[in-house]
């Protein structure tokens, strides 16, 4: 049975604080002193380290305490930044030591460490250094607004008020330029001045101690009060014993969800209602909240995938677009350049991304702006526009940090990161808006996509055969349809003319309007394809000279994972192809090549 004291302890408030500073400015000493003066060390640890120093004829330093604790924790640490625990009379603290930019940024963005406040240490003798400014900028960029600047080593400058004021003035100006305010405290970590209690060596300072300053910080509102967001980690299906459940798995970043809630998954816009909330090996409840890793079953078998974001229909929805206005901090040795493909990770979503435009670049150490740069170099901070291959779902960082922060991956390594400031309109917005409405209203029958795949021994797929005029697209498409039909496949050939003079009969032809109506023709073709794919079919479509822009319109209406592009002949456009075939080649060989491609992708099952 818990004692009253234990229950009180459980109810105490917690706060994560990151500590940053230039090398040798005394971070470890400040932490060590904080641990010692708040009696947060394990019993006998202080005496043990002092005795060890005495035996080795080595002067004791409070930084050794941190080193000793890190050594002891090293086997149990699961994140890159070391964590140190201490208590004040008000609350429990976790200090996250950020030894490097990359680890700090990575852990902040991925949620491994979510700091609510920061201690930024500056050596009074050395003054403000480049890293002092870079760390300040990163705090600003990550939305950490509660900052104490610890002006350390005051004992080395004879506790000079003038020196302290100079450091404070210089760094205050820098912080103001990036929209941050901070509390400044002159301290000596070595002597313990102004860490936990005010020092009589600096009578000119009448402010709060470091401990009092962080105790004065406000705790962030619990994430449960924000709109529900659950990035989809994966979707599992079990087949044993007739279990047909599809489990949508993820960790709730903000808000809460209950059985009966109607959810929309973005960016697809598909909706369903929560049937059960599942947990592993714990008592089941009908409600889950921020921080919990859960699985949801839904009353309708919709098909969502990793990277989509679940939100409740009754709450604010996330933004969806393929163009992002961001603040980016770049740490790669090679610059981020236009025309190169990178990967962006927001929550569980991972998508190809390009640097579309550089609005402003600053050197993070001096905030010197360069208006003419067209790339982002090592340690630069940039306001820029990123363009993703497909639209993604996100929130603005200032509203929901968990789905508003990102990292950029290049060559399998995190090279940069930042926050999303604004979603910009893209060319597919007109298609995406109606597709989201269509998915939202979509009624599913009792036969699932898995049921159809099992019945037909195939997964539905759109085989898009394109190329210039007269290269043999239509004969190949018809031959392919006949071949698959003979082999027992559920297949259909859809000529573009069938669309033009059928569902497109109310709009002018492409010939009379040039390309003016081309995108609308493609949109309608994609809509027809979407219905036939939902029916479980392999759909073979031909179209003249499709470009990447055309494909993006089709991909917005049809799940891109179901599209396979075959280019015939020479003079390819910029469209990415899954297969390239010679013009007017042998139909049997061409059909065999397409069949092999579909088998390799698991669309047609091999015998």
């Amino acid at each position: 049975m818990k004692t009253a004291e234990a229950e009180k302890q459980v109810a105490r408030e917690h706060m994560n604080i990151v500590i940053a500073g230039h090398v040798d400015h005394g971070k470890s000493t400040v932490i060590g002193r904080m641990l010692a003066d708040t009696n947060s060390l394990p019993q006998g640890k202080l005496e043990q380290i002092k005795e060890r120093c005495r035996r080795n004829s080595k002067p004791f330093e409070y930084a050794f305490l941190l080193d000793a604790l890190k050594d002891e924790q090293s086997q149990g640490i699961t994140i890159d930044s070391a964590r140190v625990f201490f208590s004040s009379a008000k609350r429990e603290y976790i200090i996250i030591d950020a030894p490097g930019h990359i680890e700090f940024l990575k852990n902040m963005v991925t949620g491994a460490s979510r700091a609510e406040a920061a201690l930024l240490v500056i050596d009074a003798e050395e003054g403000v250094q480049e890293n002092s400014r870079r760390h300040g900028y990163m705090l600003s960029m990550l939305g950490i607004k509660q900052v104490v600047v610890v002006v350390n080593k005051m004992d080395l400058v004879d506790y000079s008020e003038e020196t302290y004021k100079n450091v404070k003035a210089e760094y205050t100006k820098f912080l103001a330029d990036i929209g941050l305010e901070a509390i400044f405290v002159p301290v000596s970590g070595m002597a313990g001045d102004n860490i936990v209690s005010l020092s009589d060596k600096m009578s000119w300072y009448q402010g709060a101690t470091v401990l009092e300053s962080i105790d004065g910080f406000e705790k962030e509102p619990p994430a449960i009060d924000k709109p529900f967001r659950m990035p989809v980690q994966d979707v599992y299906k079990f087949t044993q014993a007739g279990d047909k459940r599809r489990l949508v798995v993820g960790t709730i970043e903000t808000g809460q969800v209950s059985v009966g809630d109607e959810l929309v998954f973005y960016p697809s816009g598909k909706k369903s209602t929560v049937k059960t909330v599942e947990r592993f090996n714990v008592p089941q409840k009908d409600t889950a909240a921020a921080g919990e890793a859960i699985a949801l079953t839904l009353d309708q078998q919709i098909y969502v995938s990793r990277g989509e974001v679940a939100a409740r229909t009754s709450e604010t929805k996330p933004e969806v677009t393929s163009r992002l206005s961001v603040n980016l901090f770049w740490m790669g040795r090679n610059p981020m350049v236009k025309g190169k493909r990178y990967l962006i990770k927001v929550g569980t979503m991972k998508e190809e991304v390009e640097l579309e435009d550089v609005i402003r670049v600053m050197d993070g150490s001096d905030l010197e702006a360069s208006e003419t740069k067209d790339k982002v170099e090592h340690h630069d901070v940039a306001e820029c526009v990123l363009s993703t291959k497909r639209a993604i779902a996100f929130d603005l960082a200032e509203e929901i940090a968990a789905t508003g922060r990102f990292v950029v991956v290049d060559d399998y390594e995190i090279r940069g990161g930042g926050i999303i400031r604004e979603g910009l309109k893209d060319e597919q917005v007109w298609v995406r808006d109606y597709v989201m409405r269509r998915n939202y209203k979509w009624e599913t029958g009792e036969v699932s996509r898995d049921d159809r795949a099992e019945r037909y021994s195939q997964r539905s797929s759109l085989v898009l055969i394109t190329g210039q005029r007269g290269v043999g697209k239509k004969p190949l498409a018809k031959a392919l349809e006949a071949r698959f039909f003979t082999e027992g496949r559920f297949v259909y050939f859809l000529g573009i003319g069938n669309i033009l003079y059928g569902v497109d009969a109310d709009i002018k032809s492409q010939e009379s309007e040039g390309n003016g109506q081309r995108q609308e023709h493609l949109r309608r073709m994609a809509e027809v394809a979407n219905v036939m794919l939902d029916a479980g079919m392999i759909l073979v479509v031909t179209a003249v000279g499709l470009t990447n822009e055309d494909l993006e319109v089709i991909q917005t209406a049809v799940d891109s994972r179901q599209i396979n592009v075959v280019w015939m002949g020479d003079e390819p456009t910029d469209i990415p192809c899954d297969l390239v075939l010679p013009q007017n080649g042998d139909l049997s060989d061409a059909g065999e090549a397409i069949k092999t491609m579909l088998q390799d992708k698991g669309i047609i099952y091999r015998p």
Side-chain angles (χ1 to χ4, degrees), residues 197-360:
S197 55
L198 283 176
S199 169
D200 57 8
K201 297 168 187 167
M202 289 178 274
S203 56
W204 44 264
Y205 177 73
Q206 301 298 317
T209 65
V210 175
L211 187 61
E212 290 169 342
S213 298
I214 60 175
D215 268 351
F217 285 157
E218 293 181 2
K219 179 75 180 167
E220 284 189 356
I224 193 173
D225 292 346
K226 295 184 176 179
F228 173 68
R229 295 289 187 270
M230 190 186 84
V232 176
Q233 183 78 30
D234 212 335
V235 178
Y236 298 133
K237 182 186 176 189
F238 302 99
T239 56
Q240 288 187 338
D243 186 354
K244 291 190 174 182
R245 292 178 303 160
R246 293 175 65 87
L247 298 174
V248 181
V249 178
T251 297
I252 302 175
E253 292 290 356
T254 57
Q256 54 188 327
V257 67
S258 301
V259 170
D261 283 345
E262 189 176 60
L263 303 183
V264 179
F265 293 82
Y266 294 92
S268 71
K270 295 177 181 176
K271 82 170 193 319
S272 192
T273 301
V274 178
K275 188 175 181 182
T276 63
V277 178
E278 313 264 343
R279 297 172 175 83
F280 179 70
N281 208 25
V282 296
Q284 297 301 306
K285 294 186 297 184
D286 288 345
T287 297
E292 289 190 74
I294 61 167
L296 300 174
T297 64
L298 306 171
D299 69 341
Q300 293 190 39
Q301 300 281 38
I302 61 171
Y303 287 79
V304 295
S305 57
R306 177 184 171 88
E308 294 211 52
V309 178
R312 294 203 300 185
T313 55
S314 57
E315 296 177 329
T316 308
K317 64 182 182 180
E319 298 205 23
V320 175
T321 184
S322 63
R323 296 180 68 238
L324 312 170
S325 173
V326 305
N327 280 7
L328 171 75
F329 192 95
W330 189 250
M331 297 166 290
R333 290 292 172 189
N334 297 321
M336 186 179 195
V337 295
K338 295 179 181 178
K340 180 176 178 179
R341 293 271 183 177
Y342 301 88
L343 288 176
I344 186 171
K345 295 176 73 174
V346 182
T348 59
M349 184 283 310
K350 184 165 62 177
E351 184 58 77
E352 287 188 10
V353 68
E354 286 190 21
L355 177 63
E356 178 183 312
D357 194 15
V358 181
I359 308 299
R360 191 165 70 120

Side-chain angles (χ1 to χ4, degrees), residues 183-204:
I183 299 170
F184 285 74
V185 184
V187 311
S188 168
M190 184 66 72
D193 298 310
N194 292 342
I195 299 288
V196 171
S197 55
L198 283 176
S199 169
D200 57 8
K201 297 168 187 167
M202 289 178 274
S203 56
W204 44 264

Side-chain angles (χ1 to χ4, degrees), residues 458 461 463 477-492 538-540 590-599 603-604:
Q458 65 183 43
S461 176
V463 179
K478 291 183 177 180
L480 189 66
E481 181 199 36
R483 174 177 183 154
F484 281 177
F485 183 79
T486 302
E487 294 176 355
R489 303 293 173 196
F490 188 31
V491 61
Y492 190 76
I538 293 176
L539 182 64
V540 186
E592 185 65 25
I594 294 174
K595 180 179 177 181
T596 300
M597 175 188 70
L598 298 182
Q599 286 178 325
I603 294 166
I604 292 176

Side-chain angles (χ1 to χ4, degrees), residues 30-38 86 119 195-196 210-211 214:
V30 169
I31 297 174
R33 195 80 209 200
M34 189 86 78
L35 293 172
D37 291 359
T38 56
F86 79 98
L119 293 176
I195 299 288
V196 171
V210 175
L211 187 61
I214 60 175

